[in-house]
Amino acid sequence: MLFSIQNKSIVSIQLKKSTMKIYKFLSLFLIAFTLITLASCGSRDDDNPQDTTPGSLQIKFENGFNNLGNIVLNQTVQTSSSGQKHNFSTLKYVVSNITLIDENGNEFKYNENNPDKGAFIVDQADAVAGVVYLNLDGIPKNNYKKIKFGLGISQKAYLLGQDGQAEFWTKAKQKGMSWSWAAGYVFVKLEGKYGTGAPTKEFMNHTGNMGNTTANNTPDLYREITLNLPTTARVTGNIRPSIHILADLNQFLSGDKILTLTADNDMMMGSSGHLADVTNNLTKMFKVDHVHND
């Protein structure tokens, strides 16, 4: 009898020891699993400095008045600071030479002076829910703090010749953003109606360079705009940032220089004094509203 009791006690002690070993093994296993999981999460390409896989970037242009987006063509009416009412039936502009500036001030130039790959036409008629989307690929992994872009096509790009930008030139012609090759590109095309009590009289302001500005002794209306990003755009192989830019078209007539449409300037094309004033006003219309890192 005593032997049987001792036997049971020994078995019970052994079972307890085995159970404790199992618990200890499971605890160690869970700790190891947690550490491996954390290490795996920490080694994603956006945190791994050795991973230099390029990524992509999306730029959203939203055209509005007074930083309120989604201009509806032929409908949305704005009153200028001089009391003139106007709307747009056509609203287009060319964006090129997009440059991203990182935390250290280094610049990545996206297809600089290469219109076929680096120029875009922002056309309000193409807007989806008020937004025109530009998608850029092959962006180096980095943290970007600023964005810079050109309004129009630079002289350096234009002087490459028609054969050097045949693809974009064709696209510009299809979009009505070109004159003859000798004259060149339309940079900004604004058309609509204006008036005092109501917008009833038509206007057409098309800005752009007149061919080779040096040879023709004409103004160069190409402008570059630099904008700060309110949030760092973190480009990685897994993260495609989206930069949302608001364009305040109230700057057209109510910018740094107050402009009024009249019979003298309501039907103008090229780089005249009035259109140079329009250009300078429009360079101030852009601001980055927000950045998404998705």
Side-chain angles (χ1 to χ4, degrees):
M1 176 74 72
L2 181 60
F3 176 77
S4 175
I5 293 171
Q6 288 176 337
N7 239 5
K8 288 180 180 179
S9 298
I10 291 170
V11 170
S12 177
I13 291 169
Q14 288 177 336
L15 285 172
K16 286 180 179 179
K17 286 182 177 180
S18 297
T19 302
M20 289 176 66
K21 285 181 180 180
I22 292 171
Y23 283 146
K24 187 175 181 180
F25 171 77
L26 289 174
S27 297
L28 291 172
F29 175 78
L30 287 173
I31 291 170
F33 178 78
T34 301
L35 290 173
I36 291 170
T37 302
L38 289 173
S40 174
C41 291
S43 64
R44 295 177 306 168
D45 72 342
D46 50 308
D47 295 323
N48 183 359
Q50 295 181 342
D51 191 325
T52 58
T53 304
S56 56
L57 176 76
Q58 184 177 77
I59 304 174
K60 301 177 182 178
F61 282 91
E62 184 172 4
N63 299 309
F65 286 125
N66 293 324
N67 296 317
L68 297 176
N70 196 10
I71 287 177
V72 179
L73 297 176
N74 298 303
Q75 293 185 36
T76 306
V77 177
Q78 172 67 6
T79 303
S80 72
S81 58
S82 60
Q84 195 168 59
K85 298 184 183 298
H86 57 285
N87 63 17
F88 294 118
S89 58
T90 299
L91 167 53
K92 305 177 187 181
Y93 49 90
V94 173
V95 170
S96 65
N97 286 345
I98 296 171
T99 299
L100 299 171
I101 304 170
D102 71 13
E103 298 168 311
N104 298 314
N106 300 311
E107 296 185 349
F108 167 68
K109 300 177 185 294
Y110 183 79
N111 294 305
E112 183 182 26
N113 294 317
N114 182 351
D116 280 353
K117 295 183 178 179
F120 305 87
I121 297 171
V122 177
D123 183 351
Q124 187 64 16
D126 296 333
V128 177
V131 175
V132 177
Y133 295 83
L134 309 185
N135 295 303
L136 283 60
D137 295 319
I139 308 298
K141 177 185 176 183
N142 210 336
N143 295 325
Y144 297 103
K145 301 291 289 184
K146 297 180 181 182
I147 184 170
K148 180 167 64 175
F149 56 88
L151 183 62
I153 297 292
S154 73
Q155 276 287 284
K156 189 171 182 179
Y158 169 74
L159 293 175
L160 291 174
Q162 188 173 354
D163 292 340
Q165 52 206 288
E167 185 177 331
F168 185 72
W169 179 251
T170 299
K171 185 184 297 184
K173 286 198 295 183
Q174 292 170 346
K175 280 286 189 180
M177 294 299 283
S178 66
W179 293 301
S180 67
W181 177 253
Y185 292 98
V186 178
F187 291 176
V188 178
K189 176 177 277 193
L190 301 178
E191 297 177 1
K193 294 182 178 181
Y194 74 98
T196 303
T200 56
K201 188 175 182 181
E202 293 187 352
F203 76 88
M204 176 185 72
N205 277 191
H206 298 178
T207 76
N209 287 343
M210 294 290 95
N212 185 329
T213 58
T214 301
N216 297 331
N217 194 27
T218 54
D220 184 353
L221 297 193
Y222 172 76
R223 298 288 187 271
E224 290 194 340
I225 297 102
T226 302
L227 304 173
N228 292 320
L229 304 184
T231 305
T232 300
R234 300 175 59 238
V235 176
T236 74
N238 287 339
I239 298 176
R240 183 194 68 171
S242 177
I243 299 175
H244 194 128
I245 297 176
L246 294 180
D248 178 12
L249 271 297
N250 192 47
Q251 297 294 316
F252 168 42
L253 299 180
S254 306
D256 286 348
K257 184 166 185 177
I258 304 303
L259 300 176
T260 301
L261 291 171
T262 68
D264 294 329
N265 62 23
D266 60 6
M267 292 289 170
M268 299 193 80
M269 298 183 292
S271 57
S272 66
H274 168 72
L275 295 178
D277 290 337
V278 168
T279 296
N280 292 332
N281 278 355
L282 293 180
T283 60
K284 304 292 180 64
M285 73 177 175
F286 300 102
K287 80 167 189 178
V288 178
D289 186 65
H290 59 269
V291 176
H292 289 299
N293 286 299
D294 298 326

